[in-house]
Amino acid sequence: MIRSLLVANRAEIARRIVRTCRDLGIATVAVHSDADAGAPHAREADTAVRLPGDAPADTYLRGDLLVKAALAAGADAVHPGYGFLSEHADFARAVRDAGLTWVGPPPEAMEAMASKTRAKEIMRKAGVPLLDAIDPAEATADDLPLLVKAAAGGGGRGMRVVRELDALPAELDSARAEAASAFGDGEIFVEPYMEGARHVEVQVFADTHGTVWTLGTRDCSLQRRHQKVIEEAPAPGLDEELRRTLAESAANAARAIGYEGAGTVEFLVSSAGRAYFLEMNTRLQVEHPVTEEIYGLDLVALQLRIAEGERLDAEPSAPRGHAVEARLYAEDPARDWRPQTGIMHRLEIPGLRVDSGPADGDAIGVHYDPMLAKVIAVAPTRAEAVRRLAHGLERARIHGPVTNRELLVRALRHPEFEAARMDTGFLERHLAELTAAAPDDDEAASLAELAALAAALADAARRPGTATVAGRLGGWRNVPSQPQSRSYRAEPGGTEHEVRYRLTREGLHAADMPDVGVLGAAAELVVLDVAGVRRTFEVTAHGDRRYVDTPQGGFVFTALPRFPDPTARAEPGSLLAPMPGTVVRVAEVAVGDRVEAGQPLLWLEAMKMEHRVTAPAAGVLTALHATTGRQVEVGALLAVVAAGE
């Protein structure tokens, strides 16, 4: 029996494991970097051990420190979660060699699946259908498009889609460099890129007595940068023959490597309905909650029981209903999925299952993945589950860094998704419409801005000594005058709007909205009459940010000063760091070289993603301040490109 478990991970999955252990009566030990010293997972566990440093390479990727922490805290088992060292066979061996229980598959099974190229050889022998690799030296135009993939690791790192043969050599070099940096293994391979394919996976469980379960299917086709964004179970629109093929292939894959514990076998399903083996993840998946919801199981508890030697029943229970999960990220989809940092002041999504990493008041930093939470809805039918999830996200109160919330809501309500006609190219194909800024005449945004203004005026009026005499009197004049105005910038997007208003004996009136009246205004609650319809707005201020939450959605505005700071301007051609991060590569360019607009100059790594920084315009590189390994803050000057010859 496991009595004390060390969770070798952080954030959402660490909290998830701690929650199950508490239900099972198992003591928990957390580990934390210095950046995570006050993180919820470290607070919620019974015991916490510090891993000195901030970077993953110095903390959560140090297997020796994790084993040492488990022994020091008196743990008798280790759960790796997902990511970090969860699929490292050497770490699993080190845990076992220390006399601890490893909550995961045998190291030999992990090694068999660690390299995608070796995994395909094993699957071929097991009769699992798969795509044949292509020798890049012999690739022709008839083979296009191609997919370059890293043999190790995952999460979309080291992956490139190639649509022009001339671009293949450069993409091979780029993928190889990223894979070596991310996984310490630069091996890559090339296979056909299947346009219009779906990403479907099968959850498997195997005990130590030879029983193998397949827990239905999940569709994970909605992806950005080859990383999943929306997942659901069961995968919709598959005929019974295809479901049977997927289940049999997944079970054969598990048996072929002597698997134990939780694992996922992933497939690409072509538009013609044929399945091809993609890879096997030898760990618990991020999207496991949708399987839990329809099968009524706690998969973490099942992992722990298998590690203790328990037998699975001959067959799992039958699934019921449909579940959909959306990953809420601190990122801006409209700006190349740029990760965001800052304080998460509030994260509240009522009525749905929320597996979150940060809690209110936590800082979102640059060292780790930008995922904030997984939001899961379950219902008797797919349509109901999708509707519940979209509605819940729309009404969520998310106060902090920019997130992908709006994109998630729009994607869930897109006609193609509602009809289950999605594929792995869905987000790329529809990104423009899913991230389009609201039009200037958008009534909902205008009302939210008016509510923000009304709340700000009410807040100023209630504070003694903060208003002028005219302000305390409401700015009242004896004769009509021009309207006053305040400006706000919508976030994200940066569209600026001016709200014109008058303060009269009757109160606040919007100069450009004659059908709108203010029924009540306080610092945090504003009630408007909109052509006879009563609407309520919750307003929260954090610095110059205004968060306005309504039943129809949330809005974020930045209150703009009347006189902008002239020192905030950058010289023309300046290339500033779009985010805090680490320079991992610099292109082979030198000061004095001519560069073209969009030409890559360097690569920044932030939040486990690599971001290409390009020349803002054609011209001459007159300064280059970036060096490999340099840590930069947002706005740091990286280079200068002077226009002209």
Side-chain angles (χ1 to χ4, degrees):
M1 295 290 289
I2 296 173
R3 291 179 171 80
S4 179
L5 178 81
L6 179 129
V7 184
N9 218 294
R10 65 177 298 278
E12 173 268 326
I13 186 56
R15 299 181 74 186
R16 166 76 185 83
I17 296 168
V18 167
R19 186 166 68 243
T20 289
C21 286
R22 188 178 297 123
D23 293 339
L24 296 178
I26 298 174
T28 52
V29 180
V31 289
H32 66 83
S33 66
D34 290 337
D36 280 339
H41 79 271
R43 300 197 303 264
E44 292 168 358
D46 298 311
T47 309
V49 179
R50 176 189 175 226
L51 303 175
D54 293 325
D58 300 326
T59 54
Y60 300 106
L61 290 174
R62 285 285 302 275
D64 58 333
L65 296 182
L66 295 170
V67 171
K68 183 179 178 181
L71 296 174
D76 52 25
V78 173
H79 193 307
Y82 50 70
F84 294 128
L85 295 177
S86 62
E87 294 183 275
H88 284 235
D90 288 343
F91 179 51
R93 284 197 182 91
V95 169
R96 290 185 169 188
D97 290 345
L100 305 170
T101 298
W102 168 251
V103 183
E108 296 76 18
M110 298 170 70
E111 282 180 332
M113 295 291 104
S115 167
K116 296 181 179 67
T117 52
R118 185 184 174 196
K120 289 197 171 192
E121 294 173 2
I122 297 173
M123 293 301 102
R124 189 185 303 279
K125 293 178 181 177
V128 178
L130 44 78
L131 290 169
D132 292 324
I134 294 175
D135 184 346
E138 298 178 2
T140 68
D142 293 336
D143 297 319
L144 297 174
L146 298 171
L147 182 63
V148 181
K149 299 180 69 174
R157 305 295 300 273
M159 295 181 69
R160 304 286 188 276
V161 177
V162 180
R163 300 185 183 279
E164 297 179 4
L165 208 57
D166 292 343
L168 181 57
E171 295 294 7
L172 290 170
D173 291 341
S174 177
R176 191 177 290 111
E178 184 179 3
S181 173
F183 314 124
D185 184 349
E187 182 187 354
I188 58 173
F189 64 98
V190 178
E191 64 184 16
Y193 178 67
M194 295 175 58
E195 300 276 15
R198 292 172 60 183
H199 188 132
V200 179
E201 60 190 30
V202 178
Q203 175 73 62
V204 298
F205 259 93
D207 63 19
T208 58
H209 308 282
T211 302
V212 177
W213 279 2
T214 57
L215 297 175
T217 57
R218 296 189 289 251
D219 188 292
C220 309
S221 297
L222 263 68
Q223 304 176 3
R224 57 100 167 99
R225 291 185 169 181
H226 309 291
Q227 290 182 308
K228 302 162 189 173
V229 176
I230 295 177
E231 305 103 341
E232 59 182 302
L238 305 182
D239 60 47
E240 286 307 312
E241 182 180 354
L242 179 55
R243 290 184 189 277
R244 187 164 49 252
T245 297
L246 291 168
E248 290 176 355
S249 297
N252 289 340
R255 292 190 180 100
I257 58 173
Y259 202 75
E260 297 171 8
T264 300
V265 185
E266 304 193 350
F267 299 87
L268 282 178
V269 176
S270 70
S271 55
R274 295 191 60 184
Y276 300 93
F277 173 79
L278 185 62
E279 63 184 358
M280 183 176 185
N281 293 126
T282 54
R283 54 172 167 79
L284 195 67
Q285 290 282 88
V286 179
E287 58 273 18
H288 75 272
V290 292
T291 299
E292 289 185 322
E293 293 295 337
I294 65 171
Y295 277 89
L297 294 169
D298 183 331
L299 298 192
V300 173
L302 204 56
Q303 283 184 292
L304 295 169
R305 293 187 176 110
I306 289 174
E308 291 177 329
E310 287 194 22
R311 288 179 179 271
L312 293 172
D313 293 335
E315 296 289 340
S317 59
R320 298 180 59 185
H322 200 96
V324 188
E325 171 182 295
R327 301 190 192 186
L328 185 69
Y329 285 104
E331 65 184 12
D332 187 349
R335 302 175 69 189
D336 195 29
W337 310 98
R338 186 175 298 173
Q340 306 291 302
T341 59
I343 301 298
M344 178 52 65
H345 300 288
R346 188 179 187 187
L347 179 57
E348 180 183 337
I349 309 176
L352 298 174
R353 172 177 171 177
V354 179
D355 290 6
S356 64
D360 292 357
D362 286 343
I364 310 303
V366 301
H367 299 291
Y368 313 112
D369 187 277
M371 189 176 75
L372 301 173
K374 303 179 306 192
V375 187
I376 305 100
V378 62
T381 67
R382 180 179 189 270
E384 291 176 275
V386 170
R387 182 176 64 189
R388 284 196 66 210
L389 184 55
H391 182 68
L393 284 167
E394 187 175 53
R395 296 173 67 93
R397 296 170 177 85
I398 305 172
H399 303 169
V402 171
T403 72
N404 65 334
R405 186 257 298 269
E406 184 65 24
L407 174 133
L408 295 174
V409 173
R410 293 182 182 183
L412 290 166
R413 289 176 173 165
H414 194 280
E416 284 187 24
F417 183 82
E418 289 182 331
R421 297 197 311 271
M422 61 280 189
D423 58 69
T424 55
F426 177 91
L427 288 182
E428 182 180 357
R429 189 166 62 250
H430 297 294
L431 187 60
E433 60 184 288
L434 296 176
T435 58
D440 289 340
D441 60 351
D442 183 75
E443 181 187 39
S446 298
L447 293 172
E449 287 173 330
L450 178 60
L453 168 64
L457 294 174
D459 185 44
R462 76 175 181 175
R463 296 184 182 183
T466 61
T468 62
V469 173
R472 289 195 296 273
L473 295 176
W476 181 80
R477 291 171 179 263
N478 194 41
V479 294
S481 178
Q482 293 295 317
Q484 300 180 65
S485 68
R486 289 199 181 182
S487 295
Y488 294 92
R489 183 177 64 241
E491 305 293 351
T495 305
E496 296 185 10
H497 299 278
E498 182 183 58
V499 183
R500 304 193 315 139
Y501 66 97
R502 287 189 173 90
L503 291 170
T504 69
R505 289 187 178 92
E506 289 75 30
L508 174 68
H509 289 273
D512 302 317
M513 290 182 277
D515 294 335
V516 179
V518 180
L519 298 180
E524 297 179 352
L525 185 68
V526 175
V527 181
L528 301 181
D529 180 296
V530 184
V533 178
R534 179 189 177 101
R535 296 191 179 178
T536 303
F537 302 78
E538 294 183 18
V539 183
T540 306
H542 292 286
D544 59 357
R545 287 285 177 95
R546 304 291 184 269
Y547 298 89
V548 183
D549 296 306
T550 80
Q552 292 75 39
F555 300 85
V556 184
F557 305 106
T558 297
L560 301 178
R562 291 183 62 191
F563 305 104
D565 183 359
T567 63
R569 300 174 183 174
E571 290 297 320
S574 296
L575 189 60
L576 307 179
M579 69 203 77
T582 304
V583 178
V584 292
R585 280 187 289 151
V586 179
E588 294 183 1
V589 292
V591 173
D593 289 352
R594 178 166 181 80
V595 296
E596 300 300 324
Q599 178 179 335
L601 298 181
L602 57 104
W603 288 260
L604 280 177
E605 185 177 276
M607 292 182 167
K608 294 176 65 177
M609 295 174 64
E610 194 172 278
H611 305 269
R612 185 168 59 177
V613 180
T614 62
V620 177
L621 184 66
T622 60
L624 181 62
H625 301 288
T627 56
T628 301
R630 179 190 170 193
Q631 298 266 346
V632 297
E633 295 297 324
V634 62
L637 181 63
L638 301 175
V640 178
V641 177
E645 297 298 326

